[in-house]
């Protein structure tokens, strides 16, 4: 099965292509990782086009779309999720969402990525790669999770422990998606892992307009 | 023999709280599907950007499917995609831009990133046929209050004036709040005003002095004047005549907007005026515009209220117009620009 994998949960967007089967797992054919910062919307579709060209394939050959649901900064995260949903809808393909942190590193580890506001998104995994805790958001100083840490090394100081640099990869996304690819009836709803409520409070007491 | 059809354009609008998906062929409206998160914003007294963005994502694919079903076409029939690239709320715009880019990529059709304000003008072509050019356009909503000169809708739009503070729609929202009417304020004020006397209270007409900018607007002073008037009544323990306040406020807004629009037509020798934006659904604004345009010999075009508010059909209408004019599609790295200038019709 030819799968397009996308992720925009971190400042580096990922667009990859892989052959996948339940028996043999994933064989990555092409991968574009673009340090796109806050320009995911601008650069994601060009990256998909480039990855297809690298692999010598066209959109018409795709059979499924996998997308990272975060957690990650909301605006960029939505770009990936809506792109995956729209591509899948237009092409009549299944779309499968996975936790983006599952696609970072491998084995026993705690993944930390930048949640802004001096916080991290994190999740902890056992040796066989099963997620044991998270995803959640926390201040590094309050994080009680065990190392080794992988993900964004910028948090090493605040964690008081080394963080091995690791990013979301196509292989990681496919690995996380494998159970759902094997049994599409288990596919989760395509809803971003926001983990935070929108910043909005109803006006408590309305000030007189003439005083504002 | 095959009949050559005009291209089918799929339009995406997500600049504020409405997820609008439209389908247009030439000047023919085929579908106008809309999802709104307005109810979720009501208790905040205004649109909360993050709530709007989340709602756009949820509504996107279902609304596209509904538009295609309403038009009786399939995604494969689409010849081009158009999307609001700005101005608007960045996070909200980006959901539409990303979705539109994905549909265009998957369907292998050209993509047009368009200006939301120009799309408000273009939508009138779906009801009244090709726009007379040049036209003057008066666009008034909760997000914008602009007076435009439109020599060529596909390529050249010029800003004559804009609000220096609140958008006209914001003034309606704030006055509604002062009067204890629900959000958004436009419809309840329009309704309350029908029972009131528009000349009961003489509220100020902002920026209408001889030395003021002739085409700019200011609604902040008016809003404050209404609030002061109401508070004075309340302090004195007297009842507030809601209908009279609503009618007098609405009259002040409609008076300024139409006077400046007619003046812009006269000064530029243009005899066509188009109204657009949510406030153009206001009954008094429509009536006064008709009256003054008739007196001045100006042809007035106002889309139906449903098409005045934000929707996907207006974006598809502008996309259709751009294709017909042979304007180049957008580059693959199209993004969103929250403050896209009106002079940029497409990018
Ligand atoms: Zn608008």
């Amino acid at each position: 099965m030819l799968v397009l994998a996308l992720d925009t949960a971190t400042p580096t967007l990922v667009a990859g292509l892989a052959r996948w089967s339940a028996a043999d797992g994933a064989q990555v054919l092409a991968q574009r990782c673009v340090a796109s910062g806050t320009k995911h919307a601008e650069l994601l579709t060009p990256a998909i086009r480039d990855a297809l060209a690298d692999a010598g394939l066209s959109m018409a050959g795709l059979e499924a779309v996998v997308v990272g649901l975060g957690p990650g900064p909301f605006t960029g995260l939505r770009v990936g999720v809506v792109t995956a949903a729209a591509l899948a809808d237009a092409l009549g393909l299944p779309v499968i969402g996975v936790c983006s942190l599952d696609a970072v590193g491998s084995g026993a580890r705690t993944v930390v990525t930048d949640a802004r506001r001096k916080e991290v998104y994190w999740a902890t995994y056992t040796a066989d790669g099963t997620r044991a805790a998270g995803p959640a958001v926390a201040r590094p100083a309050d994080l009680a999770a065990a190392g080794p840490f992988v993900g964004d090394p910028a948090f090493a100081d605040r964690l008081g422990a080394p963080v091995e640099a690791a990013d979301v990869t196509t292989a990681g996304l496919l690995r996380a998606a494998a159970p759902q690819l094997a049994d599409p009836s288990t596919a989760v709803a395509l809803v971003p892992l926001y983990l935070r409520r929108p910043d909005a409070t109803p006006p408590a007491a309305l000030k007189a307009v003439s005083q504002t | 023999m095959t009949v050559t059809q005009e291209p089918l354009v799929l339009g995406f609008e997500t600049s504020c709280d409405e997820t609008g998906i439209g389908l247009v062929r030439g000047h023919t409206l085929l579908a106008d599907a809309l999802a709104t998160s307005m109810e979720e914003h009501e208790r905040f007294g205004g649109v909360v950007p993050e709530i709007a963005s989340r709602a756009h994502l949820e509504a996107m694919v279902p609304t596209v499917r509904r538009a295609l079903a309403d038009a009786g076409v399939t995604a494969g029939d689409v010849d081009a995609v158009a999307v609001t690239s700005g101005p608007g709320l960045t996070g909200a715009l980006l959901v539409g831009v990303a979705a539109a880019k994905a549909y265009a990529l998957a369907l292998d059709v050209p993509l047009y990133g368009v200006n939301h304000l120009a799309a408000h003008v273009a939508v009138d072509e779906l009801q009244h046929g090709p726009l007379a050019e040049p036209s003057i356009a008066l666009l008034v909503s909760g997000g914008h209050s602009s007076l435009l000169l439109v020599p060529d809708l596909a390529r050249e739009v010029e800003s004559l004036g804009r609000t220096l503070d609140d958008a006209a729609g914001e003034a309606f929202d704030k006055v509604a709040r002062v009067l204890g009417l629900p959000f958004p304020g436009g419809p309840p004020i329009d309704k309350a005003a029908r029972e009131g006397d528009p000349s009961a209270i003489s509220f100020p007409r902002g920026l209408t002095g001889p030395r003021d900018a002739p085409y700019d607007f200011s609604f902040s002073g008016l809003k404050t004047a209404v609030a002061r008037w109401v508070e004075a009544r309340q302090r004195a323990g007297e009842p507030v005549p809601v209908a009279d306040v609503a009618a007098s406020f609405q009259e002040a807004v409609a008076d300024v907007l139409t006077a400046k629009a007619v003046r812009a037509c006269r000064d530029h020798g243009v005899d066509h005026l188009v109204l657009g934006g949510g406030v153009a659904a206001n009954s008094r604004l429509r009536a006064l515009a008709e009256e003054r345009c008739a007196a001045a010999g100006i042809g007035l075009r106002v889309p139906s209220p449903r098409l005045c508010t934000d929707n996907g059909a207006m974006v598809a209408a502008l996309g259709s117009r751009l294709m017909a004019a042979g304007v180049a599609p957008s580059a693959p790295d199209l993004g969103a620009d929250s403050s896209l200038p009106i002079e940029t019709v497409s990018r």
Side-chain angles (χ1 to χ4, degrees):
Chain A
M1 174 185 263
L2 182 62
V3 181
L4 172 68
L6 306 175
D7 188 89
T8 57
T10 73
T12 301
L13 72 79
V14 177
L17 290 158
R19 289 239 177 257
W20 182 90
S21 72
D24 304 326
Q27 176 205 354
V28 177
L29 305 175
Q31 171 170 275
R32 288 280 179 150
C33 300
V34 183
S36 46
T38 57
K39 295 210 172 299
H40 292 330
E42 285 86 336
L43 301 177
L44 181 56
T45 41
I48 295 169
R49 225 185 260 268
D50 292 345
L52 284 165
D54 292 348
L57 294 165
S58 75
M59 300 290 301
L62 297 179
E63 291 166 286
V65 181
V66 168
V67 64
L69 297 176
F74 305 156
T75 299
L77 181 58
R78 275 188 289 265
V79 167
V81 176
V82 81
T83 298
L87 288 173
D89 182 51
L91 298 168
L93 304 179
V95 55
I96 282 158
V98 300
C99 172
S100 298
L101 301 179
D102 293 2
V104 180
S106 62
R109 68 205 189 274
T110 291
V111 177
V112 289
T113 63
D114 190 357
R116 299 183 182 163
R117 305 182 198 176
K118 299 182 177 167
E119 293 187 313
V120 289
Y121 293 120
W122 67 274
T124 297
Y125 299 83
T126 59
D128 67 357
T130 308
R131 182 164 8 104
V137 61
R139 285 171 31 181
D142 301 338
L143 187 55
F149 293 99
V150 305
D152 189 340
F155 290 97
D157 275 2
R158 272 171 273 170
L159 282 166
V163 178
E164 189 193 335
D167 289 313
V168 175
T169 62
T170 301
L173 290 167
L174 267 292
R175 185 187 61 213
Q180 297 182 68
L181 285 168
D183 181 3
S185 71
T186 64
V188 300
L190 211 63
V191 179
L193 297 164
Y194 288 117
L195 307 189
R196 284 180 180 142
R197 299 168 67 81
D199 280 331
T201 43
L206 297 175
K207 275 187 287 182
V209 173
S210 60
Q211 289 161 20
T212 62
Chain B
M1 199 181 96
T2 55
V3 179
T4 318
Q5 275 194 312
E6 289 173 291
L8 178 65
V9 183
L10 176 64
F12 291 73
E13 156 60 34
T14 64
S15 67
C16 192
D17 62 304
E18 319 275 5
T19 311
I21 306 295
L23 277 158
V24 164
R25 195 187 286 285
H27 292 144
T28 306
L29 173 62
L30 299 180
D32 175 21
L34 200 68
T36 178
S37 55
M38 184 49 84
E39 267 180 28
E40 297 171 60
H41 305 285
E42 262 164 32
R43 68 197 179 97
F44 301 105
V47 172
V48 180
E50 177 59 22
I51 291 176
S53 300
R54 291 184 183 193
H56 285 311
L57 174 58
E58 249 175 72
M60 184 53 67
V61 167
T63 311
V64 170
R65 287 187 180 170
R66 190 147 50 85
L68 291 167
D70 289 351
V73 299
T74 65
D77 297 327
V78 171
D79 297 305
V81 171
V83 59
T84 299
S85 173
L89 303 168
T90 302
L93 287 166
L94 283 172
V95 177
V97 168
K101 290 178 76 172
Y103 278 102
L105 175 65
L107 302 172
D108 195 22
V109 298
L111 170 75
Y112 295 86
V114 309
N115 190 302
H116 177 85
L117 296 178
H120 267 305
V121 182
V123 76
D124 188 64
E125 297 199 325
L126 301 179
Q127 281 193 306
H128 302 117
L131 193 73
E133 290 171 329
S135 275
I136 297 286
L138 172 65
L139 303 182
V140 275
S141 74
H144 20 270
S145 302
S146 292
L147 206 44
L148 311 176
L149 174 63
V150 188
D152 175 355
L153 183 55
R155 290 191 176 86
E156 194 186 354
V157 176
E158 193 184 312
S159 172
L160 297 178
R162 59 187 173 80
T163 181
L164 302 183
D165 39 60
D166 296 344
E170 280 179 90
F172 273 87
D173 292 340
K174 287 169 184 170
V175 166
R177 192 192 289 183
V178 165
L179 293 176
L181 298 172
F183 171 86
I189 286 184
D190 199 344
K191 187 157 175 261
R194 273 172 220 156
E195 314 295 321
D197 174 4
S199 60
I201 311 152
S202 175
F203 286 128
R205 269 65 169 162
L207 292 184
T208 50
R211 291 188 191 173
D212 288 328
Y215 313 127
D216 283 338
F217 305 108
S218 167
F219 298 106
S220 170
L222 169 61
K223 167 196 81 186
T224 306
V226 174
R228 288 217 172 106
W229 194 94
V230 170
E231 282 161 25
R233 276 291 180 114
Q234 287 165 334
R235 261 199 309 275
E238 293 170 38
V240 175
V242 170
D244 284 349
V245 174
S248 300
F249 159 75
Q250 182 174 277
E251 190 66 19
V253 175
D255 180 21
V256 172
L257 289 173
T258 53
K260 291 194 177 227
V262 167
R263 174 165 177 190
C265 289
R266 241 192 359 244
D267 291 356
H268 292 83
V270 173
D271 52 9
H272 296 276
L273 175 65
V274 191
L275 299 195
V279 177
N282 180 272
S283 64
R284 181 56 188 151
L285 178 64
R286 294 168 90 99
L288 194 55
E290 268 167 37
E291 193 182 301
R292 288 182 171 172
C293 284
I298 296 165
L300 175 68
R301 295 175 34 152
V302 194
S304 65
R306 177 71 176 77
L307 291 180
C308 281
T309 50
D310 292 352
N311 61 74
M314 66 191 229
V315 180
L318 182 52
S320 181
R321 175 67 183 262
L322 292 169
M323 282 193 94
V327 172
S330 300
D333 65 348
L334 176 73
D337 181 351
S338 61
S339 53
L340 186 68
I342 179 57
E343 289 77 10
T344 308
V345 175
S346 65
R347 60 199 287 256

